[in-house]
Amino acid sequence: GFFSYNRPSAKKFLNQIRKPRVKYEPLIKVLISRDAILHNFRTYQGKYPALKLAPVLKSNAYGHGLVEVATILEPEKPPFLVVDSFYEALVLRRAMVKSNILVIGYSRDDLILRKTLKDIAFTIISLESLRNLAGKLTHPARLHLKVDTGMHRQGLLPGEIPEAAKLIKSNPLMILEGVCSHFADADNPDQTFTKQQIASWNEISSILKRQFGEIKYFHLAATAGLHYTSQIAANAARLGLGLYGINWGAPSQEIELKPALEMRSVISSLKTVPRGEKIGYGITFETPAPLTLATVPAGYHEGIDLRLSNTGVFQVRGKSCAIAGRVSMNITTIDVTGAAGARIGEDVIMISNEPALPNSVENIAKICHTIPYEILVHIPPSLRRVII
């Protein structure tokens, strides 16, 4: 009937009537620039025209919004979208995203053995899975074989490749669509280990090309490893952090990127506090002079890293306003003394899309002695992503 879940029109209708009817302006917005995402993707395509670039959308598109980023990129017709889990693939299909999908993380064999979603491929990370699938698979399944070239996290060791090839050939329903691996140290100026991985990869890919002439994709590099493209026997790569405009650990690429994410909130209260007052949990900050303090309704639950306590800044009226005291669960206090005329309700930029500012993703990561990935993926999926 009309309400069959197998019909896209019915799904769309049901999604519409389930939407809440109360409209409101959220206190926190995660703004995602369509132009920046497209600029970054096309810039990499222009620089590496021989590669099929697959956007990496795992972990909520590195905090940018899984469905939102997929919607931006689908008209670009990427070879496939990379997600970590079957759940993420299911979310994309429910949102009517039709692009090919590669689940690059671990999937249970029993899931692959079932008919699941159209145009989806699974990554096989062990010989045990291949043995199980070869003996039980009763429908066509698209597979990418992950090989371990030295990172020793997941994948088949070089010595297991001959048996893997025999297993795949033993069941014609196992469609070897791709072969992949992952660099462990591609952002290190010392290229020794990376070149060892490349040598291992090139040997393995050569063996598999001879065994299976129909393999569609060979992909080793992610963003940081694109620098080695000319040395790698591959026709595809996975574009992750660079897609979102962060050139972390890959300065040698000399590529102009545009950070796509900006996170904003508002000033929720203001007060002037005299010199010598203690601020926040643990009273870790003391006012050195009379200060105008503002609260912002966002804290570590909303992705404001606790390590920014007394070290980070937000932007108000174009001024860097220091975080005063410890970041709370849902509130952060900032010193707006230098942002003359600041008012309740006006914008606060918590994460900036300007790379040079101290609250850009890259500079926040430096302050917190971590990597940009961690800062981005800790922005909760519950916060509204707005494509601008």
Side-chain angles (χ1 to χ4, degrees), residues 106-107 109 124-134 174:
Y106 168 69
S107 299
D109 294 345
I124 303 302
I125 64 172
S126 71
L127 202 56
E128 289 75 15
S129 284
L130 273 182
R131 290 173 182 146
N132 194 23
L133 294 174
M174 298 173 71

Side-chain angles (χ1 to χ4, degrees), residues 273-277 286-291:
V273 178
R275 178 180 180 275
E277 292 296 313
E286 181 177 326
T287 54
L291 300 179

Side-chain angles (χ1 to χ4, degrees), residues 254-273:
E254 295 179 353
I255 193 164
E256 183 183 346
L257 300 177
K258 296 180 179 179
L261 181 146
E262 183 177 270
M263 186 168 163
R264 293 186 175 226
S265 188
V266 295
I267 291 176
S268 55
S269 72
L270 285 165
K271 64 181 64 177
T272 300
V273 178

Side-chain angles (χ1 to χ4, degrees), residues 173-250:
L173 296 172
M174 298 173 71
I175 302 166
L176 186 59
E177 180 184 84
V179 180
C180 59
S181 189
H182 198 54
F183 280 130
D185 202 32
D187 54 0
N188 190 336
D190 183 348
Q191 301 181 0
T192 306
F193 190 81
T194 299
K195 289 190 173 182
Q196 289 173 7
Q197 281 195 266
I198 292 172
S200 176
W201 165 265
N202 287 347
E203 182 178 351
I204 293 169
S205 62
S206 177
I207 292 169
L208 289 171
K209 278 180 185 176
R210 290 196 298 269
Q211 294 273 354
F212 303 92
E214 69 279 9
I215 298 174
K216 197 171 182 180
Y217 304 113
F218 285 86
H219 49 110
L220 168 61
T223 303
L226 287 171
H227 172 67
Y228 295 95
T229 293
S230 63
Q231 303 172 43
I232 303 170
N235 65 348
R238 304 177 301 273
L239 186 60
L241 197 61
L243 174 65
Y244 306 104
I246 311 297
N247 198 13
W248 183 266

Side-chain angles (χ1 to χ4, degrees), residues 111-130:
L111 175 65
I112 303 172
L113 290 168
R114 299 199 304 267
K115 289 186 178 180
T116 52
L117 297 172
K118 186 180 179 183
D119 297 327
I120 183 172
F122 294 94
T123 303
I124 303 302
I125 64 172
S126 71
L127 202 56
E128 289 75 15
S129 284
L130 273 182

Side-chain angles (χ1 to χ4, degrees), residues 10-11 32 39 43 46 55 67 83 85 92 95 117 128 169 221 242 247 251 264 271-272 283-285 294 359:
K11 286 183 181 179
I32 306 300
H39 165 84
T43 298
V67 172
V83 299
S85 64
L92 289 179
L117 297 172
E128 289 75 15
K169 288 180 177 181
N247 198 13
R264 293 186 175 226
K271 64 181 64 177
T272 300
I283 54 173
T284 61
F285 180 82
N359 59 330

